[in-house]
Amino acid sequence: MNTLLSVSIALLGGLLMTRLFKPLKLPSVTAYLIAGVLIGPYCLGALGIEGLGFNNAHAVENLSLISEVALGFIAFSIGSEFRLDELKKTGMQAMVIGIFQALVATLFVDLALYGVHLMMPDKLSTSQAITLGAIATATAPAATLMVVRQYKAKGPLTNLLLPIVALDDAVGLIVFAVSLGIAKTIIVGTTDFVSIFINPIVEIIASLSLGAVMGWVLTQLEKMFNSNTNRLNLAIAFVFLTAALSMMKIEVGPIHISFSSLLVCMMLGTIFCNICPLSHDLMEKTDKWTSPLFALFFVISGAELELNVFTDIAIVIIGMTYIVFRSLGKYYGSYVSAKFTKCSPEICKYLGITLLPQAGVALGMCSIVASSPEMSGQGALVRNITLFAVLIYELIGPVLTRQALKAAGDIKPMSIEVKNRRETKLKMINEKQ
């Protein structure tokens, strides 16, 4: 009962918060996150009343399955942006920008945090600085996708943004694996070639292969059904199935074969949307079905944010350094590479701002660091700094993304005709009441 009560309060709290935030014209993502913070362990949850919010971190972890499923559907939706006809126009630009901005962000954070290490060697080690630099590559696809959907953003910037956000995961996996391997080498003193180079490449190839197979199988099974409802049910079932299969871990000698759920589900959506003629209609229906799931995902994400990271001044200093230099790296990395690939001035100016949100992928990376035996005793600091950055980025990132898309012309102001129609409808409802 308590779990169901917590889920209902989370969803209702998130929805009500969007109403409170409406006069401020803030994105719904920000409202959901703040609702999560309010019902989390540090606010309502601290009262200890069962069912009224999340009393502790364990209560939030109990709903981790919802987050896993939501990320699967987010990746599935982003995969639909890799349609071949669209990639012919933006594919090379997305690839160059996606790789370059991620590497520049890593370089900026590495150099800045190494400077902090020289000033405070007892607070931040070289290994921790290198690891945090790798985590800086990750961008939150969920927040970006939600802002695009809420404001029905369409245009050159949006068309380029979503593929870049998806590429961030693949680039981030490689950079993170290599950087973590180097960090372990510094601590232990021995080099593990397999962990640094082989495992991340195998993970990416295995993830894309599994997603491609599942996308082909889904398309073949869709042919067996004539009802759109049954086709929708099948597509939803396959996202669940693919997300579950991506949790497998296989060991072949020294090589560890694991899968990235984001990459697997993204490839599922990519193959499905390119070879299934009915995919466009089914994707629209899937997007409507997942709306409450995404709302829950962000409320839970807000509840997961640990506010006690603000109590340590060293964490605040290192965290602010990380945020400032990651932001500079994302912005100037995007600006330079967009100029190089001859993008429009609007894309060059505003693309980097839309890549600032950071959440799930970054938290997943810091969890790997915390669980690594070689990083024992150093993972906690990496996790706290990442949590600090996620808290700031998730609250201001969606707002900045909306402003950037609006300035670039991808978010159109509501037409006078639509505005008058809405006002007339509201007036009729009020008269009936």
Side-chain angles (χ1 to χ4, degrees):
M1 186 186 85
N2 288 336
T3 301
L4 288 175
L5 195 58
S6 296
V7 168
S8 61
I9 287 174
L11 187 54
L12 288 171
L15 292 171
L16 291 173
M17 191 61 69
T18 61
R19 297 303 90 191
L20 292 176
F21 273 48
K22 192 174 181 180
L24 300 176
K25 297 182 178 180
L26 293 175
S28 295
V29 176
T30 305
Y32 293 141
L33 287 165
I34 291 177
V37 171
L38 292 177
I39 66 173
Y42 296 93
C43 294
L44 284 177
L47 299 176
I49 302 173
E50 290 292 334
L52 184 63
F54 302 101
N55 297 342
N56 48 54
H58 181 67
V60 183
E61 288 173 7
N62 287 338
L63 300 180
S64 60
L65 182 62
I66 293 175
S67 297
E68 288 291 338
V69 173
L71 281 172
F73 278 100
I74 288 164
F76 182 63
S77 297
I78 290 178
S80 66
E81 300 300 322
F82 286 91
R83 294 180 184 272
L84 290 178
D85 53 342
E86 293 294 328
L87 286 178
K88 289 176 183 176
K89 304 173 187 175
T90 62
M92 185 54 66
Q93 289 177 328
M95 184 172 293
V96 171
I97 297 170
I99 294 172
F100 189 77
Q101 56 83 26
L103 295 178
V104 171
T106 295
L107 180 63
F108 274 40
V109 173
D110 276 343
L111 293 175
L113 292 185
Y114 185 71
V116 174
H117 159 70
L118 294 177
M119 291 185 289
M120 299 190 299
D122 57 325
K123 292 291 184 181
L124 184 70
S125 69
T126 304
S127 297
Q128 289 168 328
I130 292 172
T131 306
L132 285 165
I135 293 174
T137 59
T139 299
T144 304
L145 184 64
M146 279 288 285
V147 172
V148 168
R149 282 187 181 177
Q150 180 184 350
Y151 296 100
K152 296 180 174 59
K154 288 182 181 179
L157 178 55
T158 305
N159 294 338
L160 195 59
L161 169 62
L162 293 176
I164 289 173
V165 169
L167 280 170
D168 250 9
D169 189 32
V171 177
L173 279 173
I174 296 174
V175 174
F176 175 73
V178 173
S179 296
L180 183 59
I182 294 171
K184 289 178 182 178
T185 299
I186 293 172
I187 295 171
V188 180
T190 57
T191 304
D192 184 357
F193 179 79
V194 173
S195 297
I196 296 176
F197 297 105
I198 303 299
N199 283 337
I201 293 173
V202 169
E203 179 174 341
I204 291 172
I205 294 173
S207 298
L208 295 178
S209 300
L210 176 59
V213 170
M214 295 300 289
W216 182 83
V217 173
L218 172 59
T219 304
Q220 302 311 308
L221 291 178
E222 289 283 1
K223 298 174 183 177
M224 298 172 60
F225 300 93
N226 296 321
S227 166
N228 281 336
T229 301
N230 288 334
R231 287 172 175 157
L232 174 62
N233 292 340
L234 181 64
I236 291 169
F238 251 74
V239 176
F240 275 95
L241 177 60
T242 305
L245 292 176
S246 66
M247 296 178 185
M248 294 188 301
K249 293 185 184 297
I250 305 168
E251 293 190 11
V252 182
I255 299 175
H256 303 280
I257 302 175
S258 57
F259 302 89
S260 164
S261 60
L262 282 174
L263 277 181
V264 175
C265 293
M266 183 190 74
M267 195 63 175
L268 170 71
T270 300
I271 297 298
F272 176 65
C273 288
N274 278 287
I275 67 176
C276 180
L278 301 170
S279 62
H280 186 75
D281 291 339
L282 287 172
M283 289 302 295
E284 286 186 354
K285 290 180 172 63
T286 303
D287 290 346
K288 292 177 181 178
W289 182 86
T290 54
S291 179
L293 182 65
F294 288 176
L296 266 176
F297 168 76
F298 284 106
V299 175
I300 294 170
S301 297
E304 287 176 334
L305 299 177
E306 297 185 14
L307 303 184
N308 58 3
V309 296
F310 290 106
T311 59
D312 189 338
I313 188 64
I315 296 290
V316 174
I317 293 172
I318 298 169
M320 289 307 300
T321 304
Y322 173 91
I323 290 169
V324 169
F325 281 90
R326 177 183 178 271
S327 302
L328 290 173
K330 286 284 181 182
Y331 183 82
Y332 286 107
S334 301
Y335 184 86
V336 171
S337 52
K339 277 276 189 184
F340 177 76
T341 54
K342 298 179 180 179
C343 293
S344 66
E346 290 77 16
I347 291 176
C348 295
K349 187 175 181 180
Y350 298 111
L351 176 60
I353 298 172
T354 64
L355 296 173
L356 295 183
Q358 189 174 43
V361 178
L363 293 175
M365 288 177 176
C366 70
S367 297
I368 293 172
V369 176
S371 62
S372 174
E374 294 88 350
M375 296 291 289
S376 176
Q378 301 199 37
L381 179 69
V382 172
R383 186 174 190 277
N384 285 337
I385 292 169
T386 306
L387 282 168
F388 177 90
V390 165
L391 178 63
I392 303 300
Y393 275 128
E394 283 295 89
L395 293 178
I396 66 172
V399 179
L400 294 176
T401 298
R402 187 203 66 177
Q403 291 300 107
L405 290 171
K406 188 175 180 180
D410 282 28
I411 295 178
K412 305 292 190 297
M414 190 184 297
S415 66
I416 297 174
E417 182 182 348
V418 174
K419 192 179 292 186
N420 290 338
R421 195 184 305 147
R422 287 191 177 183
E423 289 176 355
T424 303
K425 186 179 286 187
L426 285 172
K427 188 177 179 180
M428 289 173 65
I429 293 171
N430 292 330
E431 286 176 355
K432 287 180 180 179
Q433 292 176 344

